[in-house]
Amino acid sequence: MADSSSAPVMLELVDESGTTIGSAEKLAAHRAPGQLHRAFSVFLLDDRGRLLLQRRALSKYHSPGVWSNSCCGHPYPGEPPFVAAARRVGEELGVAPALLGEAGTVTYTHPDPESGLVEREFNHLFVGSLATAPRPAPEEIAETSFVTSGELTKREAAEPFSVWFRTVLEAALPTIRELAGPAADW
């Protein structure tokens, strides 16, 4: 479901161990100080081991116009994180991953100084590969780019990234390295 939907989007609230404790409307869960909620982050690689980045659409209510991981979002209450991740890859990128596997979880709290919103998430990580070129939904994604590790370092120094990007990337790196192989230099 795109951010532009008129129906309120509900998120699954969790405790520190990831056990569901309730639900909250999406924007309310992100207002300071933030409510701990279930989320997911996807990292997709091409056949050369390059990581797909997306620059979030300028119309996004949260973190517009910044670079981030391939896809991220929130499962609906009761929706398995893997199902939500695969669904959102299709909705945002217009493709299905050729491979998608779990890469652990990470919990964090990151205030976003630009919006005043807070990312307080129990984030399920997924790493996979794409066999076809993405066809991004313009209401979700302004542009995409495949990058090597070195290219990512240069881009992070020159352009803004989401407040959660480095945290989720570091947590997913062991699985990214495993899938990409040593030649990709992750």
Side-chain angles (χ1 to χ4, degrees):
M1 179 179 288
D3 283 349
S4 60
S5 172
S6 59
V9 175
M10 300 301 288
L11 305 184
E12 191 170 87
L13 300 179
V14 298
D15 65 16
E16 293 292 331
S17 67
T19 301
T20 302
I21 58 170
S23 62
E25 188 275 324
K26 184 177 181 178
L27 189 56
H30 287 92
R31 286 195 185 106
Q35 295 175 282
L36 186 61
H37 58 275
R38 195 173 309 284
F40 63 83
S41 290
V42 178
F43 296 87
L44 297 171
L45 305 172
D46 69 5
D47 59 358
R48 294 169 42 199
R50 297 179 305 166
L51 176 64
L52 176 65
L53 298 177
Q54 68 157 278
R55 190 167 64 83
R56 295 167 60 85
L58 292 174
S59 60
K60 301 286 274 185
Y61 80 100
H62 187 350
S63 302
V66 301
W67 287 97
S68 200
N69 48 293
S70 308
C71 178
C72 56
H74 307 92
Y76 299 129
E79 181 182 30
F82 181 88
V83 172
R87 172 179 55 79
R88 286 302 290 165
V89 167
E91 291 171 356
E92 289 189 17
L93 294 167
V95 293
L99 172 75
L100 189 64
E102 294 183 20
T105 60
V106 63
T107 302
Y108 53 80
T109 301
H110 288 302
D112 179 13
E114 292 295 316
S115 67
L117 299 174
V118 176
E119 288 291 354
R120 188 162 176 240
E121 296 183 329
F122 186 94
N123 199 307
H124 297 260
L125 307 171
F126 298 94
V127 173
S129 61
L130 284 179
T132 57
R135 296 182 315 275
E139 69 276 9
E140 298 289 339
I141 299 173
E143 66 182 296
T144 60
S145 180
F146 283 98
V147 297
T148 65
S149 178
E151 291 166 342
L152 174 60
T153 299
K154 290 177 186 168
R155 182 162 290 171
E156 281 186 293
E159 299 183 56
F161 273 72
S162 63
V163 294
W164 63 86
F165 176 76
R166 187 42 68 174
T167 299
V168 294
L169 176 66
E170 292 294 331
L173 266 178
T175 307
I176 291 170
R177 288 182 180 125
E178 184 178 324
L179 180 61
D185 195 29
W186 283 103

